[in-house]
Amino acid sequence: DGGITQSPKYLFRKEGQNVTLSCEQNLNHDAMYWYRQDPGQGLRLIYYSQIVNDFQKGDIAEGYSVSREKKESFPLTVTSAQKNPTAFYLCASSTRASGGYNEQFFGPGTRLTVL
Amino acid sequence: SQQGEEDPQALSIQEGENATMNCSYKTSINNLQWYRQNSGRGLVHLILIRSNEREKHSGRLRVTLDTSKKSSSLLITASRAADTASYFCATDVRGSTLGRLYFGRGTQLTVWP
């Protein structure tokens, strides 16, 4: 089955720890994205990548880092510098089309809680 | 910001009724997309309407786009309890080749049996 997966589904972090959220897609999409969603809020873009070994900061990149070593994978690290990391994290991917990009496909999300 | 804004924030209706949600945005777009999110899940793409289109249908969904007013509406006809979810609009900004979307805060739709 083609799709986008995220793991783990739930993640608990102690203060001061770095944690890495996994995102994998087998859709052969070039572009991948990380969003943060807080309760009752919309999605805010953390980082995005259009090609391997290249990525750009979104609107709330501080305290986060990413890598894009493979087309299929776009892991997100939440560092200890992120002061309020408790949130729902969503990964997405899309493919380029004439005149822009097509729709984004989303993973099921990772809920991160800081203890 | 380019963020789309949905209106209303919450909508509660009975099964069988129609549900209309609106989205306004600020700058020119390549396309506007609507997504659905069930509680605690990822988003699911519903429909994409390009800037040169005015109306689009998909099953019970009807989307309109008025670029002169920078607004869009999503109509769900004959709503079902299973339509209960949050609905988001997202815009792809004209001139951008980056593929990022700008999401609104969403409309929470509740359909009562």
Side-chain angles (χ1 to χ4, degrees):
Chain A
D1 286 335
I4 181 165
T5 59
Q6 292 184 241
S7 63
K9 187 172 182 178
Y10 298 97
L11 185 57
F12 298 90
R13 188 193 97 169
K14 293 181 181 179
E15 297 226 7
Q17 279 184 337
N18 292 354
V19 291
T20 297
L21 283 59
S22 169
C23 177
E24 304 276 335
Q25 54 97 1
N26 61 4
L27 300 167
N28 199 34
H29 286 175
D30 291 309
M32 297 187 74
Y33 312 83
W34 273 106
Y35 296 92
R36 169 180 172 143
Q37 187 178 33
D38 293 283
Q41 301 295 313
L43 278 64
R44 292 186 290 169
L45 184 64
I46 305 172
Y47 269 99
Y48 57 116
S49 166
Q50 283 124 0
I51 56 172
V52 173
N53 293 323
D54 187 46
F55 47 82
Q56 292 79 37
K57 292 182 179 180
D59 301 321
I60 55 166
E62 185 175 351
Y64 301 96
S65 66
V66 293
S67 62
R68 186 86 188 276
E69 297 176 0
K70 298 187 298 181
K71 188 175 185 178
E72 308 79 42
S73 179
F74 192 38
L76 173 74
T77 297
V78 184
T79 74
S80 56
Q82 171 50 239
K83 297 306 177 188
N84 185 22
T86 294
F88 190 50
Y89 290 87
L90 289 160
C91 180
S93 68
S94 70
T95 190
R96 196 138 180 198
S98 60
Y101 279 76
N102 290 320
E103 69 271 22
Q104 293 186 9
F105 290 78
F106 282 81
T110 292
R111 188 167 300 279
L112 173 63
T113 303
V114 174
L115 302 174
Chain B
S1 84
Q2 171 58 33
Q3 185 182 34
E5 292 293 338
E6 292 91 345
D7 171 63
Q9 290 187 352
L11 181 59
S12 186
I13 60 174
Q14 296 289 130
E15 265 192 331
E17 294 180 342
N18 295 343
T20 299
M21 288 159 267
N22 302 296
C23 171
S24 60
Y25 58 92
K26 295 182 179 177
T27 63
S28 296
I29 59 173
N30 292 320
N31 63 65
L32 185 143
Q33 303 176 30
W34 285 91
Y35 289 82
R36 166 194 168 127
Q37 183 182 34
N38 286 71
S39 182
R41 303 290 185 91
L43 276 69
V44 174
H45 179 261
L46 295 176
I47 200 162
L48 181 154
I49 187 165
R50 303 194 186 280
S51 60
N52 61 353
E53 298 175 312
R54 291 297 168 259
E55 186 171 314
K56 210 162 181 180
H57 296 255
S58 177
R60 293 184 296 114
L61 305 181
R62 172 178 168 253
V63 168
T64 62
L65 178 65
D66 186 335
T67 52
S68 66
K69 295 181 179 178
K70 293 186 171 60
S71 67
S72 173
S73 67
L74 170 67
L75 169 66
I76 303 174
T77 60
S79 295
R80 306 165 182 167
D83 294 328
T84 295
S86 292
Y87 292 82
F88 295 90
C89 69
T91 52
D92 177 9
V93 174
R94 175 161 293 177
S96 171
T97 58
L98 303 177
R100 66 162 296 173
L101 296 176
Y102 293 83
F103 284 84
R105 294 172 182 265
T107 292
Q108 173 61 52
L109 173 65
T110 303
V111 182
W112 299 99

